[in-house]
Amino acid sequence: MQFESLASDAGRLHDAPAGAWLALDDPLEWAGFSRPVRDHEGWQKSYLAIQGMHCASCALTVEQALAQLPGVQSVQVNGASATARVTWAPAASRPSQWLAALQRAGYGAVPAGDQLDAAARIREQRLLLWRWLVAGFCMMQVMMYAWPAYVAEPGEITPDIASLLRWASWVLTLPVVLFSCWPFLSAALRDLRHRTVGMDVPVALGIAIAFGASTAATFDPSGVLGGEVWFDSVTMFVFFLLSGRLLEQRLRDQTAGSLEALMRRLPQAVERQRPDGGFERVAARRLAAQDVIRVLPGEVFPADGVVLEGRTRVDEALLTGESRPLARTAGEPVIAGSQNLSGVVLVRVERTGGETRYAGIVALMEQAAVEKPRLARIADRIASPFLLAVLAAAAASAAWWWTVDPAQALGVAVAVLIVTCPCALSLATPAATLAAAGALARQGILVRRLQGLESCAGIDTVVFDKTGTLTHDRMGICATRTRPGVDAGEALALAASLARHSLHPASRAITAAAGTAIWPASEVAEQAGRGVEGRLAVPGAPARRLRLGSAAFCGAPTTAAPAGQPMVHLADDGGWLASFELDETIRADAANAVAALRRQGLQVQLLSGDAAPAVQRLARRAGIADAHGDCSPEDKLERVRQAQAAGRRVAMVGDGVNDGPVLARADVSVAMGDAVPLAQAKSDFIVLGGQLLAVGTLVAHARRTQRIVRQNLAWAAAYNAVCVPLAVVGWMPPWLAGLGMAASSLLVVANAARLARIAGAGLIEEAAAAPVPLAGQSA
C-alpha cells in the first residue's frame, strides 16, 4: 500500500488528525522508511523527514520529544538534513505515536522513504518565497517613506507629514510582521512553550521589540518612545533574514542532492508480465522473486535481476561509481537503482526490497545523513547556553542605555538580539560534511560515518590489504617465454585452445588472456595434477597434439621460476613451445593510486597473509616499498597498533573477513565495494566500484572539507567577536544587524556548497596520466 491516502496532507502531517497517521502503524508500511537493527532482533531503525526545523536547538527539541516515548531506544537528529533516525521496539511503540508527539512539540514529519516528502518540501519552499516577496515589496515602500526623515533638515518636514509617513509605514509593516515573520514568531512561541531557547527566540524578540516600540511611537508621538521608529529596520531585517533562509534552503538542498537522488531513485511503479504474456503496471514494492518485468529506456530498474531478452546499456554511476555506461544482454545481471539507457529489456527479478544491493547502499546513506560529526555535537551543546547569554547581554545593554536614551536602549537591545543569533555557528559543520558526503557519493564513495571525514583529513599512513584489495580474485599472465621462432601470441592462442576445456584457475587465466583468439580442439583429456592434452586443427596447418601443464608433463626446460611463482608450460610433439608465468591480477589503477597517495605526502604500506615472496612481487608492481607478508590478523592488528603508538594516524583499506579487527582498530577504515559484510560493517567509507584511485580522492576531499569547516567556524566566531561590541555601543543599527546575521549564515552555507564538487576528481585524471614512481623512490 502506498501513501496515496495521505496525499492531500503530506505537507502538513502535523495538522492531520491522529487517525490519518494510523496507516503508518501497518508493519507492511515500515519497509518504506525502516530497516531492521542487526544486533537486536525485532528492533527497527526508522527515518523521518522533520518539518519546521531551523537550528541546532530544534534538533535537540525533536530528540527530546521522541526519546521520552515508550519503546523508543534512541533518537538522532541532524539539523542540516532535517532528518531523524529512531531506533525502536515494535512491541512497545508505533510510528503514529511519534508523529503525535512531534505535533505536540510544534513540528511535522513524514516518513523519509515517502515520495510525497519532495512535494511537501516544494510546497514549503513556495510559501517561503511568498513570504520573501511580501517582505521585499513592503520593505521598498517603507524605505521610500523613511528616506525623507534621514535626509531632511530639522523643520523641513511638518509634524502632520511626519505622522502620515509613520502611519503609512506602520500599515505596510503589518503584513510583514503578521505573514512574513510568522515562521520566526511561531517557532519562538513553540520554544518558549516547551521551555527551550532556540535561535528564533532572539530574532522574534528583536522583531517584537522593534515593532512594538515603533507602534507606540506612532500612536503616541509625544511619549517616551516617540522620538524614533524602526519600521524600515524591521522590514529590512525580515527581508534579509528571509533572503538568507531562502538561499540557505536552496543551497542545502543542492549540497544534499546526491544523497536525495540516490535515496529516492527507485520507481513507484513498473510493468510486470501477466501469466497470459501481457503486461500490467503495479507498485514496485509488490514485486517478488521470479517475476518478469519490462523496463523501458530511461527507466530505473526496481530490483536486482537477470536480463531475459533484449540488449541495452545501463548507468550504474550512483551505485558503483562507474561513470561509463555498461552493456547488458541476455543472461547478464542488472541491479536496482541503475538506469536503463538504450533498449527495452525483459528482466527476471531475483532480489527485491531490503535484499537488494541498492537497499544496503541506501541504509548506509541514511545512517550518514543523521549522524553528527564531533564538531557539530559541540556546536549543538553550546547553542542553548550561548543563546541565554545573548538574551542576558541584550537585557544588560538595554538597561545601561535606558538611563541615557530610552529609544536608543531599545535599538541597541534589538541589534544585540539580532546580530548574535548563532545560525552560522550551528550550520558550519553539518552543512560542510553533508555537502562532502553527497559529492563523494557521486564518485562511488559511500560515507558510513560523517566523523570519518574529520579523521580522514588527519591521516598520514595508508595500509592496504593485498588479495581482493590491490588485486582481483583471479590469476593472470605476467610474463611469457617461448622457444626460438615461436610467436608469443600464437603460443597463447594454442594454450587457450586447450585451457578452455579445464576449470583449473591457471587454465582460466590463460583463457581470459587469449580472449577469442582460440581454435577448436578434439580428443581432449585432462590428467589430474599434470595438465591437459588434445589435438588441435589450426587453419592452414596440419593437426597436432599439444600438452599444457606442469614442466614434467610438457618436458619444459628446468629454468627456475621466481620463488613461489606458478608457471604453466606448453609443448607439442616436437617438444617445449612456451612457458607462462602466472601471478595475481593487480587492479589496473593500483600503481597510479599508490603514486597519487604518495604525492599527497602519505606513507603507503602493504600487509598480507600471503607468502612473503608473492607479497614483495605484488608490492614492486604497485610501487609500494614497505610490504610485509605472512601476516596473521593478529600480526596486522599489532602493526597498526605499533604505528599508532609511534604517532601515526592510519587508514586501513581492505575487503576480507580477516580485515575486520584491523579495520575497527585503524583511525580510518575503507572497505572495497565487494567486501564481505563484516568488513563493510567495520568501515567508515565504502568504495562501491572498487576503484583504488578513489582512496586518494577521499583523502583529498576530506582534507578540503576540514579546511572549509575550520573556515566556517572561524568566520562565525570572528563575526560575533566584531559585531557584538558594535551593537552594544550603539554603532550597529537593527537593520544592519539583520543584514549581517543573514549574510553570515548565507556565507557559511555557500562556502560549504563548494564541497558539492569534488576538487579531487582532477586527482584521478592526474594520477592516471602521471608516471608511477618505483618502489624505493621518493614520491
Side-chain angles (χ1 to χ4, degrees), residues 238-269:
V238 174
F239 176 74
F240 292 147
L241 191 61
L242 289 174
S243 298
R245 186 162 288 189
L246 186 66
L247 292 174
E248 174 192 319
Q249 184 184 66
R250 299 289 175 88
L251 287 171
R252 286 167 66 179
D253 286 347
Q254 175 186 341
T255 58
S258 57
L259 300 179
E260 184 76 10
L262 179 59
M263 293 167 65
R264 306 287 178 266
R265 190 168 175 82
L266 289 189
Q268 286 284 297

Side-chain angles (χ1 to χ4, degrees), residues 216-424:
T218 302
F219 281 79
D220 185 13
S222 61
V224 175
L225 302 178
E228 187 176 358
V229 294
W230 297 301
F231 294 124
D232 56 332
S233 295
V234 170
T235 54
M236 288 181 68
F237 169 55
V238 174
F239 176 74
F240 292 147
L241 191 61
L242 289 174
S243 298
R245 186 162 288 189
L246 186 66
L247 292 174
E248 174 192 319
Q249 184 184 66
R250 299 289 175 88
L251 287 171
R252 286 167 66 179
D253 286 347
Q254 175 186 341
T255 58
S258 57
L259 300 179
E260 184 76 10
L262 179 59
M263 293 167 65
R264 306 287 178 266
R265 190 168 175 82
L266 289 189
Q268 286 284 297
V270 66
E271 292 185 348
R272 183 176 63 184
Q273 191 173 47
R274 297 192 302 264
D276 61 5
F279 290 89
E280 59 180 349
R281 200 151 189 88
V282 300
R285 70 174 61 187
R286 294 189 178 276
L287 291 179
Q290 304 306 313
D291 283 348
V292 176
I293 59 175
R294 180 169 62 186
V295 183
L296 304 178
E299 293 184 340
V300 173
F301 292 97
D304 293 350
V306 175
V307 177
L308 295 180
E309 295 180 15
R311 177 188 297 271
T312 188
R313 300 182 74 82
V314 300
D315 178 9
E316 297 182 357
L318 276 178
L319 299 173
T320 66
E322 174 57 64
S323 58
R324 295 170 299 178
L326 304 174
R328 290 290 184 265
T329 59
E332 295 184 326
V334 291
I335 58 177
S338 60
Q339 186 175 23
N340 182 18
L341 296 179
S342 57
V344 179
V345 290
L346 294 185
V347 176
R348 182 180 68 245
V349 174
E350 293 191 337
R351 289 178 296 277
T352 63
E355 299 178 352
T356 62
R357 181 178 181 184
Y358 168 86
I361 294 173
V362 168
L364 296 174
M365 302 279 282
E366 288 172 334
Q367 176 178 329
V370 299
E371 190 181 59
K372 295 179 184 178
R374 180 181 59 87
L375 292 175
R377 292 195 298 269
I378 294 174
D380 286 356
R381 285 198 297 268
I382 68 175
S384 290
F386 182 83
L387 288 168
L388 291 173
V390 166
L391 296 178
S397 300
W400 187 86
W401 274 95
W402 189 265
T403 61
V404 179
D405 183 353
Q408 179 74 357
L410 292 180
V412 169
V414 170
V416 171
L417 286 171
I418 291 170
V419 82
T420 52
C421 185
C423 292

Side-chain angles (χ1 to χ4, degrees), residues 472-553:
H472 295 290
D473 56 354
R474 62 180 185 272
M475 301 182 74
I477 296 176
C478 62
T480 302
R481 295 201 301 272
T482 62
R483 188 174 68 192
V486 177
D487 179 73
E490 180 184 0
L492 179 60
L494 292 172
S497 300
L498 287 178
R500 67 173 181 162
H501 295 279
S502 170
L503 296 178
H504 192 279
S507 298
R508 281 188 262 182
I510 292 174
T511 304
T516 58
I518 55 179
W519 295 288
S522 59
E523 303 176 20
V524 178
E526 185 170 6
Q527 299 183 25
R530 302 190 67 198
V532 60
E533 62 179 332
R535 179 176 294 276
L536 254 68
V538 179
R544 54 177 171 169
R545 294 196 66 81
L546 293 174
R547 295 184 300 280
L548 180 69
S550 65
F553 184 56

